Amino acid sequence: MIALAFFISIIRMATPLVFASLGGMFSERSGVINIALEGIMLFGAFTAAFVSLSMGKELGFVAGGLGGMSLALIYGLIVIHGRANQIVAGTAINLLAMGLIPLFLKSLYDSTGGTPSLSMDQRFSNLPILFMIIALAGAWFVMKKTSFGLNVSVAGENPEALDAAGISVILVRYQSLAVCGLLAGFGGASLSLFLASGYTRNMVAGRGFMALAALIFGKWKPVPTFLACILFGAFEAVQIRLQGAEGIPPEFLQILPYLATVLVLAGFVGKAVAPKVIGIPWKR
Amino acid sequence: MKDALLKTLAGLIFGFLGAALISWIVGESPLFVMKVMFESAFGSVYNFGLSLFYATPLIFTGLSVAIAFHAGLFNIGAEGQLALGALAATCFALWFPSLSPWLGIPLALLFGAIIGGFWGWIAGWLKEKRGSHEVITTIMLNFIAAAIVSWLVTKVYQSPIVQSPETAEISEHYFIQERDPLYQIFDGAPISIALLFAIGLAIGVWVLLFKTKLGFEIRALGKSESTAEVSGISSSKVRQIAMFLAGACASFVSFAEIIGSAGKYRLGFSPEYGFMGIAVALLARNNPIGILFSAFLFGALHKGAADLDIETEFVTRDLSLVIQSLILIAVAIAIEWKKGRRA
């Protein structure tokens, strides 16, 4: 029984990570590095909580995805049409989310710390886990079995070939970023509507970057990436479980997921091969 | 040069226009917001001194980001490097309270630089040995550093006489505010000779990057790893040195904060100086001398935004983050603009 509870807690903690890293997969497989995942999740978490408070959790969850998508498309505009350095632009998007959200919170709720707490029926008990599994199956299916999935990988490996086949590299990358934003936004929504009850300041706490690490560890493939997220989820679950245990300072437990990320990245990434033209803006 | 200045200017205009738009959206007069910010940053000798006070750490973190950038690395870890480095300098001062200032302060800064440098070096080393992307590693190291510092401050060095999480005060041999010539000028703003040190450091980093063999190697590596290797440069060594130097630069925030103004380590003293350093460095195109100016600009921006919380109804200090991000975006696009046209 305890083992089952612990297993569920791992899956719970992994849920936002899985959404975000699947989103990151679409972006990066199409050739766009996405450091902005952190800010996209944050924005998704905020829009989800905001809408859930007034219109219910279902619409809230959808709004999280749409909020993430809109920020991801702004990011797309900057790096695809603007051709800005993707790491600089991603950092800027993260800063933008960190700055904009408190401004909105202030005018909406007269507080910069977060939204009011959600009531029990404004948040989910376990449903986002199911959504996450559907997203995983969907992402796997799209990447493996559909022409869109093929286009995404070709955009990241050999964009000239895609262009020669008469398909717009730029369009495929925008589409990939839209999917990325939607999924990462769902990741944010599962933080504010599922793991927590409401939006709190900077609640993503590095999960966007952990999702990127999971993506690299999973070699940009859906199922291995999912397993990497489960691993990170396990460290978070252990961390939470051990809080309050005698003799271990809570600060040392808090660093477990971060330390695990560094170690996993250091231990296994040596052989990971990134999409070939990742980070390079498309020019015909 | 003229081109670069124009692009910077375009970035600034875009940033402030965007901020005006957002202020208007949340229901505040943009002109009033700009007026509050300007007066808060420059309205009095004291306010101007505070702007310079905030600019000083930004020079250090801007240089930190710039050195790494010249080597082709993206250092998002200045926040962690400065936290550990500054705490290390504080600890040194607490361990050896009676050293003469002329010996103690340089040694405390040096010890901080070694610890901060070590924290930066980890990311360079992991990139070199294991191929770990430095962006993810440095972010994770920020969280780890924050937890270590929080534990050390609250559990090991916590001042027994106050409730807030901070260390005991460093001795008068280290805490030089009363004797600080710059402190006398600005009406009590916590500015210190750390500013002069920062200016000197910027000049030093410029000399290092553009006039020494190591600087040449760092820049060559940043331009192209393969070309650098062909011309006999050990990319492994240079990368690790660059990240060490980046961490060391960030650690000198201790001079402005601990030795120059607070006299102790206060947990959470940094309003994300490390992240702001990214915008500072990019706006200056990673030129150490340019960083002096962009750090001043962002220092004034930070100080200016600080009064928004009280002076306006709907706009908060977070507006400075929005302005920073918009400037970053505009400059990053402007840098690529012409290249795109030519191709």
Side-chain angles (χ1 to χ4, degrees):
Chain A
M1 215 39 217
I2 290 170
L4 181 68
F6 188 59
F7 177 72
I8 290 174
S9 127
I10 291 175
I11 304 282
R12 283 171 62 94
M13 298 314 292
T15 300
L17 291 174
V18 174
F19 275 122
S21 60
L22 289 176
M25 180 185 75
F26 279 94
S27 168
E28 302 220 329
R29 286 286 287 272
S30 82
V32 180
I33 300 175
N34 208 337
I35 300 289
L37 275 185
E38 180 89 2
I40 294 172
M41 287 180 83
L42 201 65
F43 202 64
F46 162 70
T47 46
F50 166 58
V51 171
S52 180
L53 276 165
S54 49
M55 288 181 261
K57 60 189 172 189
E58 293 80 9
L59 280 178
F61 199 82
V62 174
L66 295 180
M69 190 196 276
S70 49
L71 199 59
L73 287 174
I74 293 173
Y75 175 66
L77 197 63
I78 298 163
V79 297
I80 298 176
H81 269 100
R83 301 199 188 108
N85 176 307
Q86 294 175 359
I87 296 190
V88 173
T91 307
I93 290 288
N94 293 337
L95 279 177
L96 186 65
M98 275 164 65
L100 270 185
I101 295 168
L103 288 174
F104 292 153
L105 286 172
K106 175 78 180 175
S107 41
L108 290 169
Y109 309 109
D110 198 27
S111 143
T112 57
T115 60
S117 276
L118 300 181
S119 64
M120 280 308 278
D121 56 329
Q122 286 167 331
R123 56 189 294 267
F124 290 99
S125 47
N126 278 317
L127 211 53
I129 294 179
L130 181 67
F131 298 160
M132 178 267 280
I133 291 167
I134 295 171
L136 172 67
W140 178 86
F141 181 79
V142 168
M143 287 309 288
K144 280 260 157 126
K145 305 281 175 192
T146 67
S147 60
F148 174 67
L150 185 66
N151 290 347
V152 170
S153 341
V154 180
E157 295 289 343
N158 190 355
E160 289 79 13
L162 199 63
D163 191 54
I167 299 164
S168 161
V169 175
I170 285 182
L171 182 65
V172 170
R173 287 190 177 165
Y174 271 113
Q175 287 166 336
S176 306
L177 273 174
V179 176
C180 165
L182 184 74
L183 290 172
F186 286 154
S190 41
L191 277 173
S192 60
L193 303 186
F194 173 47
L195 294 190
S197 45
Y199 174 87
T200 51
R201 197 178 181 97
N202 297 343
M203 72 185 311
V204 176
R207 285 186 180 84
F209 292 93
M210 270 184 218
L212 281 179
L215 183 62
I216 297 172
F217 184 35
K219 305 207 174 4
W220 291 271
K221 295 191 177 82
V223 176
T225 299
F226 166 76
L227 294 175
C229 291
I230 295 290
L231 177 69
F232 290 151
F235 278 101
E236 283 206 53
V238 168
Q239 186 260 116
I240 290 169
R241 194 164 188 91
L242 290 180
Q243 286 294 355
E246 286 293 311
I248 316 174
E251 289 90 351
F252 290 155
L253 292 171
Q254 278 160 20
I255 68 175
L256 261 183
Y258 305 115
L259 197 61
T261 308
V262 171
L263 292 179
V264 161
L265 211 53
F268 302 93
V269 82
K271 284 168 245 102
V273 182
K276 216 179 227 152
V277 298
I278 194 167
I280 304 169
W282 165 248
K283 277 181 235 166
R284 196 192 283 261
Chain B
M1 183 65 192
K2 200 175 147 216
D3 184 51
L5 276 178
L6 270 178
K7 285 173 176 172
T8 307
L9 198 66
L12 291 177
I13 293 172
F14 181 75
F16 281 94
L17 279 182
L21 180 70
I22 287 159
S23 311
W24 179 72
I25 291 174
V26 298
E28 202 78 53
S29 150
L31 278 178
F32 179 65
V33 168
M34 294 301 152
K35 180 171 156 276
V36 169
M37 288 180 68
F38 188 82
E39 277 177 6
S40 166
F42 305 110
S44 68
V45 175
Y46 176 77
N47 282 351
F48 184 70
L50 266 178
S51 291
L52 287 173
F53 167 71
Y54 288 121
T56 312
L58 294 179
I59 297 175
F60 295 125
T61 57
L63 290 172
S64 170
V65 174
I67 291 178
F69 208 95
H70 276 287
L73 295 161
F74 208 75
N75 180 25
I76 308 197
E79 194 64 33
Q81 294 148 17
L82 78 85
L84 273 177
L87 182 61
T90 313
C91 289
F92 186 91
L94 292 172
W95 295 335
F96 305 101
S98 49
L99 283 184
S100 105
W102 295 103
L103 186 63
I105 292 176
L107 283 179
L109 291 175
L110 182 69
F111 183 61
I114 291 171
I115 300 297
F118 166 73
W119 206 247
W121 168 83
I122 295 176
W125 180 75
L126 282 174
K127 168 118 184 170
E128 195 50 50
K129 298 295 168 197
R130 311 297 318 177
S132 313
H133 200 301
E134 78 278 6
V135 167
I136 299 175
T137 314
T138 50
I139 284 275
M140 295 300 135
L141 287 173
N142 283 345
F143 285 106
I144 297 172
I148 295 175
V149 166
S150 159
W151 180 75
L152 281 171
V153 170
T154 55
K155 301 286 159 49
V156 184
Y157 293 102
Q158 171 71 41
S159 160
I161 51 174
V162 289
Q163 288 287 320
S164 52
E166 56 188 45
T167 65
E169 284 183 24
I170 57 176
S171 81
E172 291 205 331
H173 292 246
Y174 292 87
F175 185 45
I176 48 168
Q177 193 167 56
E178 292 305 316
R179 288 157 284 162
D180 193 310
L182 276 184
Y183 178 67
Q184 320 294 338
I185 304 174
F186 287 94
D187 244 1
I191 185 172
S192 67
I193 52 166
L195 177 62
L196 302 182
F197 177 76
I199 294 171
L201 188 71
I203 297 170
V205 170
W206 184 84
V207 170
L208 171 85
L209 282 172
F210 296 99
K211 299 287 165 196
T212 68
K213 183 160 170 286
L214 176 65
F216 172 78
E217 290 179 346
I218 288 176
R219 288 182 298 122
L221 174 64
K223 287 212 176 68
S224 158
E225 179 167 353
S226 48
T227 323
E229 287 276 359
V230 169
S231 39
I233 294 167
S234 158
S235 61
S236 162
K237 195 183 86 185
V238 173
R239 192 172 277 142
Q240 294 179 49
I241 292 176
M243 280 307 291
F244 182 89
L245 292 176
C249 279
S251 78
F252 291 132
V253 169
S254 61
F255 200 166
E257 168 68 21
I258 315 290
I259 294 169
S261 68
K264 57 198 164 195
Y265 191 104
R266 300 168 302 158
L267 202 59
F269 74 83
S270 162
E272 309 272 21
Y273 287 132
F275 283 101
M276 291 158 83
I278 299 167
V280 167
L282 185 82
L283 192 65
R285 303 287 195 86
N286 301 300
N287 180 315
I289 307 302
I291 283 173
L292 294 175
F293 296 95
S294 61
F296 175 67
L297 180 89
F298 282 111
L301 179 63
H302 183 74
K303 167 66 184 88
D307 281 1
L308 288 175
D309 286 356
I310 16 174
E311 295 283 336
T312 71
E313 202 175 341
F314 297 118
V315 177
T316 67
R317 62 172 65 224
D318 303 287
L319 190 69
S320 80
L321 285 178
V322 176
I323 300 179
Q324 278 181 55
S325 67
L326 294 179
I327 293 175
L328 264 178
I329 290 168
V331 172
I333 292 177
I335 289 173
E336 301 299 324
W337 194 257
K338 223 174 196 168
K339 287 188 209 162
R341 297 295 102 125
R342 227 182 282 132

